[in-house]
């Protein structure tokens, strides 16, 4: 009965989404009334029901209910508990149910918590959220039912893709979806504001924390996904410009631009139309990414849940939502005044410049992702990878990093570069010294050289807003900006260091052989069979030593799964503060030697430490804004209470 219970909850949630849309539109057309009062409770109930439905699917996977088609196709009784749990969203239907759950949950949260937005705009926002949700409910219930029963229960399941049988699957997709789908709120807020014409600082202040929350999860999801692919796929890389990777990067770029634009709107009442447009674009990129990943029109090592037949359904939703929002924007944009003006040399000017650069980067990634699809339609197969993305992206990323270092030092509205001349000269001199020092040390390619130099300069410059200020009294939002910008510099340093300093060694070794890679010596002690709950493996025992340091054992494996039958390479990582030793065991050669792939990757971990710092910066900024809002609400309550007391005294 769990499957039927989950399906019934999903149908009820879909019905409530329809009711929420009808009541929201009716209340907008006829003014406030009984229907307007019911919109919020209906949105909350819809969110609760989707959570119930998703919990039912989780229960089916944990119990390995072999009467359910989805469980049979994606699970197995011998799988460890964590992979049974993660298998819930490691497939097409389950991941789409997670999508709907996050979307309805976000709608329920704003209905429950958000009180600052004008009521008409809130009604329009909740109606839009319901309208978007209805399309995905229809997609699930009409073509991707996750609770479908089999005529007869199966003897056992077919198992989960072995590449997904990793702890990363338990954390990466949920965090990514919270960010990915959380941006639907930005879309709904933007459409709601367009419908009512109420675009101003209040709108930006309301939308910003919700977008910031989604952006934090998206940042964590991208960083976690990058590290997961790095150690799980066994090829030693952390980013391949794969369509699935690009699918998460594009909404992140748009959301980053949106956050900065919303800050300008909230602080200076400027960039109204631009902010609304970015709200539409951010979620549109999530939709585009979903279509690319789920339709099967682009191949990817990560695309584990493609479905070409149902891709057309998502394409139709994409056309309706994005096309409709763009038409609405074209019709209503002229009614939105652009707001206050500001000087080019100001913090707003720096933010606008970086917004343009982020938008250009988004366009480059989108073009590079779609171009192979377009050429294939004309019978020409091409692949687009680092030779395109890296140099073309650098044209916009490098000036953006320079302005990112300068912008936080400028004042709002109008400023002079002479006022910040001293710190800028100091950072410039540091950049020159770093570049000269690197060139003296060893030859570098142009991009890695600029990447290393600018990353160090950016990390130093990101700390300059703290200069001369009382640190204990600084707002959390300022700390958030400093930490996030420092994290960008740290991640960039890790990327540049990995691309320019990595040492790779491919060896055919027999027991007792010693292989040198960078500062490491690695001795092959033995290769032995081992077994896990649903796999067997050959495990190499390697004794690794960094220069004259202690000897450490690492154990890469070549695993063989039997449900479904597939071989995978489980890399072994040895982490030091200044990098990682990365080891992969290959096949045995005819003369009894074992293929070993070894990498020494200096400072590669800084990529993910930087990503986590960026997310931490966002979290600090979010906490600061929530604390400010709570203090404001408390002050409003105290003022109201005081007024009531005065009124009572006067009445007496």
């Amino acid at each position: 009965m769990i499957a039927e219970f989950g399906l019934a909850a999903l149908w009820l949630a879909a019905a409530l989404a329809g009711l929420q849309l009808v009541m929201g539109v009716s209340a907008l057309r006829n003014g406030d009334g009984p229907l307007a009062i019911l919109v919020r409770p209906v949105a909350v109930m819809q969110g609760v029901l989707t959570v119930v439905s998703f919990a039912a699917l989780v229960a089916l996977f944990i119990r390995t209910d072999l009467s359910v088609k989805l469980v049979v196709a994606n699970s197995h009784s011998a799988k460890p508990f964590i992979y049974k749990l993660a298998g819930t969203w490691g497939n097409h239907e389950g991941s789409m149910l997670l999508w709907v759950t996050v979307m309805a949950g976000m709608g329920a949260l704003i209905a429950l918590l958000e009180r600052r937005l004008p009521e008409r705009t809130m009604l329009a926002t909740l109606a839009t959220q319901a309208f978007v949700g209805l399309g995905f409910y229809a997609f699930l219930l009409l073509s991707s039912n996750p609770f479908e029963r089999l005529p007869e229960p199966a003897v056992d399941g077919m198992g989960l893709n072995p590449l997904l049988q990793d702890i990363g699957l338990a954390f990466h997709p949920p965090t990514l979806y919270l960010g990915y789908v959380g941006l639907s709120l930005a879309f709904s807020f933007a459409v709601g504001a367009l419908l009512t014409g109420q675009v101003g600082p209040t709108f930006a202040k309301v939308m910003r924390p919700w977008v910031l929350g989604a952006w934090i999860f998206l940042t964590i999801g991208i960083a976690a996904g990058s590290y997961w692919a790095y150690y799980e796929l066994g090829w030693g890389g952390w980013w391949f410009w794969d369509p699935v990777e690009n699918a998460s990067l594009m909404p992140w770029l748009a959301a980053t631009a949106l956050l900065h634009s919303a800050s300008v709107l909230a602080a200076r009442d400027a960039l109204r139309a631009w902010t609304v447009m970015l709200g539409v674009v951010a979620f549109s990129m999530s939709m585009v990414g979903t279509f690319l990943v789920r339709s099967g029109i682009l191949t990817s090592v990560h695309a584990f849940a493609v479905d070409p037949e149902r891709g057309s359904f998502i394409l139709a939703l994409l056309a309706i939502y994005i096309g409709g929002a763009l038409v609405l924007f074209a019709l209503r944009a002229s009614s939105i005044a652009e707001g206050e003006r500001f000087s080019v040399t100001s913090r707003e000017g720096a933010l606008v410049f970086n917004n343009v650069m982020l938008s250009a980067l988004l366009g480059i990634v989108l073009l590079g992702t779609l171009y192979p699809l377009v050429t294939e339609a004309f019978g020409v197969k091409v692949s687009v990878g680092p030779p395109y993305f890296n140099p073309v992206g650098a044209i916009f990323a490098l000036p953006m990093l320079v302005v990112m270092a300068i912008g936080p030092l400028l004042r709002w509205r109008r400023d002079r570069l002479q006022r910040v001349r001293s710190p800028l000269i100091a950072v410039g001199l540091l950049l020159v010294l770093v570049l000269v020092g690197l060139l003296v040390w060893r030859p570098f390619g142009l991009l890695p050289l600029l990447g290393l130099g600018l990353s160090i300069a950016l990390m130093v410059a990101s700390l300059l807003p703290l200069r001369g200020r009382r640190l204990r009294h600084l707002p959390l939002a300022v700390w958030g900006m400093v930490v996030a910008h420092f994290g960008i510099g740290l991640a960039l340093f890790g990327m540049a260091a990995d691309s320019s300093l990595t040492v790779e060694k491919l060896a055919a070794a027999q027991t007792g052989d010693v292989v040198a890679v960078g500062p490491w010596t690695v001795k092959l002690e033995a290769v032995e069979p081992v077994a896990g709950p649903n796999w067997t493996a050959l495990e190499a025992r390697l004794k690794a030593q960094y220069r004259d340091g202690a000897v450490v054992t690492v154990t890469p494996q070549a695993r063989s799964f039997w449900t479904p039958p597939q071989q995978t390479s489980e890399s072994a990582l040895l982490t030091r503060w200044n990098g990682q030793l990365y080891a992969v065991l290959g096949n045995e050669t005819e003369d009894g030697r074992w293929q070993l792939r070894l990498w020494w990757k200096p400072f590669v971990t800084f990529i993910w430490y930087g990503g986590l710092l960026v997310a931490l910066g966002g979290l600090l900024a979010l906490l600061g804004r929530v604390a400010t809002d709570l203090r404001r609400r408390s002050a409003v309550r105290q003022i109201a209470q005081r007024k009531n007391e005065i009124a009572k005294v006067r009445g007496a």
Side-chain angles (χ1 to χ4, degrees), residues 62-96:
I62 291 176
R63 293 159 55 96
T64 317
D65 189 333
L66 296 173
S67 66
V68 176
K69 183 178 178 182
L70 188 66
V71 177
V72 173
N74 296 278
S75 190
H76 189 276
S77 57
K79 270 200 320 184
F81 170 80
I82 188 67
Y83 303 142
K84 288 183 179 179
L85 174 66
T88 309
W89 48 82
N91 56 79
H92 176 84
E93 289 83 356
S95 63
M96 293 311 297

Side-chain angles (χ1 to χ4, degrees), residues 16 19-25 27 33-46 107 111 119 122-127:
L16 287 181
L19 186 61
Q20 179 181 327
L21 173 62
V22 171
M23 289 192 303
V25 171
L35 291 180
I37 297 173
L38 291 175
V39 172
R40 286 178 186 264
V42 168
V44 173
M45 199 60 214
Q46 183 205 155
E119 193 58 24
M122 176 55 76
L123 288 173
T125 300
L126 289 175

Side-chain angles (χ1 to χ4, degrees), residues 440-464:
V440 170
W441 177 35
R442 54 174 289 178
F444 282 90
L446 178 61
L447 286 182
L449 177 69
L450 291 175
L452 288 170
L454 278 174
S455 63
I456 294 173
L458 178 59
M459 282 188 280
V460 173
S462 66
L463 301 176
L464 291 178

Side-chain angles (χ1 to χ4, degrees), residues 232-542:
E232 180 63 22
L233 296 182
W235 64 288
W238 51 272
W239 194 268
F240 191 63
W241 293 110
D242 180 274
V244 178
E245 294 170 340
N246 295 347
S248 61
L249 179 62
M250 289 187 291
W252 186 87
L253 290 169
T256 306
L258 172 60
L259 281 174
H260 289 89
S261 181
S263 295
V264 175
L265 178 55
R268 296 299 161 190
D269 194 13
L271 304 180
R272 292 178 178 175
W274 180 244
T275 303
V276 170
M277 184 65 182
L278 285 174
V280 173
V281 170
F283 183 60
S284 299
M285 290 300 103
S286 294
M287 291 281 297
V288 170
T290 302
F291 170 68
L292 293 176
V293 173
R294 292 289 181 266
S295 66
I297 60 172
L298 290 175
T299 57
S300 163
V301 294
H302 306 300
F304 56 85
V306 297
D307 189 327
E309 294 181 1
R310 288 174 284 194
S312 56
F313 202 122
I314 301 177
L315 182 62
L317 294 180
L318 193 150
I320 293 170
Y321 296 144
I322 299 179
L326 291 179
V327 168
L328 180 64
F329 182 82
L331 294 174
R332 305 300 295 269
S334 59
S335 64
I336 303 172
E338 199 44 51
E340 300 293 329
R341 296 186 176 276
F342 49 84
S343 167
V344 173
T345 312
S346 64
R347 187 173 293 190
E348 295 99 318
L351 289 171
V352 169
F353 179 84
N354 276 358
N355 257 0
V356 173
M357 295 297 106
L358 283 167
S359 301
L361 285 170
L362 171 59
I364 288 167
V365 177
L366 182 62
L367 178 64
T369 306
L370 296 181
Y371 183 69
L373 176 65
V374 175
T375 60
E376 192 169 346
F378 292 95
V380 180
K381 286 193 174 183
V382 299
S383 63
V384 179
Y388 160 76
F389 287 107
N390 290 346
V392 178
I395 294 173
F396 300 96
L398 294 178
M400 183 183 71
L401 293 171
V402 173
V403 175
M404 189 190 299
I406 300 172
L409 303 177
L410 297 174
R411 291 172 175 162
W412 291 103
R413 199 178 298 278
R414 184 182 298 279
D415 204 348
R416 294 178 300 111
L417 284 178
Q418 289 84 345
R419 192 184 63 79
V420 294
R421 181 173 51 190
S422 297
L424 291 183
I425 290 176
V427 173
L429 286 175
L430 173 67
L431 175 60
V432 172
L433 287 174
V434 170
L435 292 177
V436 171
L438 290 172
L439 286 174
V440 170
W441 177 35
R442 54 174 289 178
F444 282 90
L446 178 61
L447 286 182
L449 177 69
L450 291 175
L452 288 170
L454 278 174
S455 63
I456 294 173
L458 178 59
M459 282 188 280
V460 173
S462 66
L463 301 176
L464 291 178
L466 304 178
R467 188 172 58 110
R469 304 179 71 170
R470 300 174 66 182
L471 301 183
R472 293 179 58 184
H473 299 282
L474 269 182
L476 276 177
V478 176
W479 278 111
M481 177 191 68
V482 169
V483 172
H485 285 189
F486 188 89
I488 292 285
L490 189 65
L492 178 63
F493 182 84
M495 297 173 196
D498 178 64
S499 65
S500 58
L501 301 176
T502 291
V503 180
E504 180 181 2
K505 190 68 172 284
L506 177 61
Q510 58 186 0
T511 304
D513 283 354
V514 176
V515 181
V517 54
W520 289 88
T521 54
V522 179
K523 181 180 179 181
L524 177 61
E525 286 276 312
V527 178
E528 299 169 334
V530 295
N534 59 340
W535 50 264
T536 59
L538 289 173
E539 180 180 276
R541 190 167 69 250
L542 305 176

Side-chain angles (χ1 to χ4, degrees), residues 8 131 147 166 178 221 234 265 313 321 346 391 438 475 487 543 606 628 636:
F131 179 61
F147 299 102
D166 181 86
L178 283 169
L265 178 55
F313 202 122
Y321 296 144
S346 64
L438 290 172
K543 298 290 186 183
F606 286 15
T628 301
V636 170

